[in-house]
Amino acid sequence: MSAFARSKSVAFSMALGLLMSLVVAVVGAAPASAAGTFRLCNVAGDYSATAHFPGRGGFSTYVTNPGQCNSISTNGGESFYVKITRFNSGGLSKNSTSYHIPSGRSMQFSTGGTFASPQFTPQVY
């Protein structure tokens, strides 16, 4: 093989290797779940609220008092429930049913009503 043919072959091999590296990098960079936000808002008057995420090892949000909202980052695909605790009741509390945040989505969860008749409103966006 002549020197010209060898250099042409080496150049082709290098170009092919570079192209394959680029393809692997693009394919390997498949998008992960987009980060979202979980926002807990409390418009009730006689209780505080916290959201509990059992899949995160029992992680819970900050206490959200009436008129407050608290936010945390989430990737979605998580389940949670909201616990409300009545003021000055010695810890009397109730739990909502379990809710699920779809993967890659955000959610605002609002509490309202009274401790005797709480209202829960999840909004996925």
Side-chain angles (χ1 to χ4, degrees):
M1 181 182 275
S2 71
F4 177 74
R6 273 193 303 252
S7 67
K8 197 172 176 181
S9 177
V10 168
F12 177 77
S13 294
M14 288 175 62
L16 184 59
L18 182 60
L19 179 62
M20 291 303 292
S21 295
L22 181 61
V23 168
V24 168
V26 169
V27 171
S33 294
T37 301
F38 173 83
R39 184 173 168 92
L40 176 62
C41 292
N42 185 359
V43 295
D46 66 341
Y47 62 81
S48 62
T50 52
H52 297 263
F53 295 82
R56 286 191 184 184
F59 172 81
S60 62
T61 62
Y62 294 106
V63 173
T64 306
N65 289 315
Q68 292 183 337
C69 293
N70 286 308
S71 299
I72 60 167
S73 294
T74 180
N75 286 329
E78 298 175 276
S79 293
F80 70 94
Y81 65 92
V82 172
K83 179 178 182 177
I84 59 172
T85 305
R86 187 167 191 169
F87 293 125
N88 302 321
S89 69
L92 188 59
S93 64
K94 296 180 181 181
N95 294 334
S96 72
T97 60
S98 183
Y99 294 88
H100 185 76
I101 303 170
S103 185
R105 304 291 296 275
S106 293
M107 177 178 274
Q108 177 164 316
F109 192 93
S110 299
T111 67
T114 63
F115 184 79
S117 181
Q119 299 167 2
F120 304 112
T121 309
Q123 299 171 320
V124 176
Y125 57 97

